[in-house]
Amino acid sequence: MSTKIKIPSRLEVVDYELFVDYNINVYIKRDDQIHPEISGNKWRKLNLNIEKYKERLYGGILTFGGAYSNHIHATAAIGRDLQIPTIGIIRGEELTSESNATLKAAAGAGMQLVFVNREEYSWRYERDYKELLRNKFGNVLVIEEGGANYLGVIGCTAIVSEIEMKPDYFILPAGTGTTTAGILMGIDQGKVISVPVFKKGDFIRDEIAELLTYSGLGEEEIAEKMTLLELETNCSFGGYGKFNQTLIDFINHIYAETGLKLDQIYTGKMFYALCERIKSGDIPSGSTVVAIHTGGLQGTSSIGDKLDFSV
Ligand SMILES: *Cc1c(COP(=O)(O)O)cnc(C)c1O
């Protein structure tokens, strides 16, 4: 796609005392290194959508996101790199392109930001609304919020196909669950531990099953895939974007011990869940785990003074 893209991403051993003590082999899939700006799994989800864009005569790419959306940031950066016009429909009519670092970066990359109120934003899955947007903005390719569409799921299956071994567990954070659905699509054995980063994350199970139906799997196949999924809903730290001193101390500790940089919104919560599950014995001795570093490190800029590293 662009010369800056680093695919396949590296798979590294994580050398950490807790893992040695409990006899667990932990690897980390460094999707955070795919691109300096495009948060790892956002590239996975956009990649095939961009290929679709290139195949037809679209006038640009339009997508949706909240004020702090990594997906908006990623889409804007890809648009800039590939000279594709991008339009971001942003939730919140009170916002401007100066409101925060994410929106500033997106506008700086050339994305046209359109700020809409909550009601209008809630129409984003409706066919008529998408049609209206296509007419208004000139035959644009409309990509769902968070890249949560069929091509997004398929793009994420590559995370699995790039790995030669078959681990007992995959673990990753979940927002829309698209990346989790892609991992489930890609595997035929092992468990997937998905860590919703918001409160009351149980509903994501249904969303993931729904995303799997887009991928052409039959009912039975989906039911079988869903038996491989374990949700870890106790590590949301109070909700989306929320964190406390325990999480900050944990992120700094992991950095000091392993050199790994994690963020407080997604990957820090995932790695915390991994350590908790190892300590509780839920992940038994002798297991092999692949943790997916989905990226998102630019999200640490808002709490830079609390962390012992910069990105
Ligand atoms: C967006 C994002 C996620 C969530 O991915 P989903 O496919 O929406 O579940 C996870 N990690 C990072 C770093 C992200 O930016």
Side-chain angles (χ1 to χ4, degrees), residues 39-42 45 70-71 146 156 173-180 204 263 266-267 294-298:
S39 175
N41 73 333
K42 299 303 179 284
K45 294 191 278 185
N70 287 339
H71 166 71
C156 291
T176 63
T178 310
T179 311
T180 304
I204 196 117
D263 76 288
Y266 292 104
T267 55
T294 44
L297 288 169
Q298 78 278 2

Side-chain angles (χ1 to χ4, degrees), residues 24 27 48-49 68 77 81 89 103 110 117 122 142 148-149 164-165 177 187 200 235 244 268 298 305:
I24 314 282
Y27 296 82
L48 297 178
N49 281 292
Y68 297 94
D81 282 7
I89 306 291
L103 296 174
N117 62 36
S122 75
V142 176
N149 62 16
E164 276 168 27
M165 63 162 148
I187 63 169
K200 304 205 175 85
C235 294
N244 61 16
Q298 78 278 2
D305 54 332

Side-chain angles (χ1 to χ4, degrees), residues 5-166:
I5 297 293
K6 203 170 137 197
I7 288 285
S9 63
R10 284 168 54 94
L11 186 69
E12 293 173 352
V13 174
V14 186
D15 192 2
Y16 176 42
E17 211 180 320
L18 178 86
F19 303 156
V20 176
D21 290 349
Y22 284 82
N23 187 30
I24 314 282
N25 296 308
V26 177
Y27 296 82
I28 190 151
K29 179 75 171 150
R30 297 298 305 269
D31 273 19
D32 57 309
Q33 295 177 340
I34 289 177
H35 188 281
E37 269 175 282
I38 303 168
S39 175
N41 73 333
K42 299 303 179 284
W43 184 83
R44 298 277 185 193
K45 294 191 278 185
L46 283 166
N47 177 25
L48 297 178
N49 281 292
I50 301 291
E51 294 306 316
K52 175 175 171 183
Y53 171 87
K54 287 182 190 160
E55 281 166 14
R56 308 206 203 141
L57 292 169
Y58 290 108
I61 287 176
L62 179 146
T63 193
F64 309 88
Y68 297 94
S69 166
N70 287 339
H71 166 71
I72 287 292
H73 186 119
T75 306
I78 289 179
R80 180 205 53 215
D81 282 7
L82 301 182
Q83 297 179 334
I84 298 171
T86 56
I87 296 141
I89 306 291
I90 310 296
R91 180 179 54 229
E93 79 262 59
E94 72 285 2
L95 298 166
T96 73
S97 55
E98 295 296 307
S99 292
N100 66 47
T102 303
L103 296 174
K104 260 185 219 158
M111 180 178 260
Q112 180 185 347
L113 298 176
V114 181
F115 299 96
V116 302
N117 62 36
R118 267 74 181 163
E119 192 195 353
E120 180 168 343
Y121 195 79
S122 75
W123 303 339
R124 65 194 177 283
Y125 298 110
E126 287 176 25
R127 199 180 288 257
D128 290 352
Y129 181 58
K130 288 195 230 176
E131 195 51 40
L132 188 134
L133 291 172
R134 268 192 284 270
N135 290 334
K136 186 165 171 189
F137 293 101
N139 190 32
V140 285
L141 172 65
V142 176
I143 299 178
E144 280 65 21
E145 177 184 59
N149 62 16
Y150 166 71
L151 293 172
V153 174
I154 301 298
C156 291
T157 62
I159 300 172
V160 176
S161 54
E162 285 175 13
I163 299 174
E164 276 168 27
M165 63 162 148
K166 297 202 183 278

Side-chain angles (χ1 to χ4, degrees), residues 230-252:
E230 290 181 12
L231 285 185
E232 174 52 73
T233 54
N234 290 320
C235 294
S236 75
F237 287 86
Y240 185 76
K242 302 257 167 63
F243 58 89
N244 61 16
Q245 197 56 43
T246 305
L247 185 61
I248 298 298
D249 291 346
F250 175 77
I251 289 172
N252 282 328

Side-chain angles (χ1 to χ4, degrees), residues 14 57 131 134 174 183 186 212 273 275 277-278 296:
V14 186
L57 292 169
E131 195 51 40
R134 268 192 284 270
I183 303 291
L212 286 173
C275 293
R277 287 214 158 199
I278 288 174

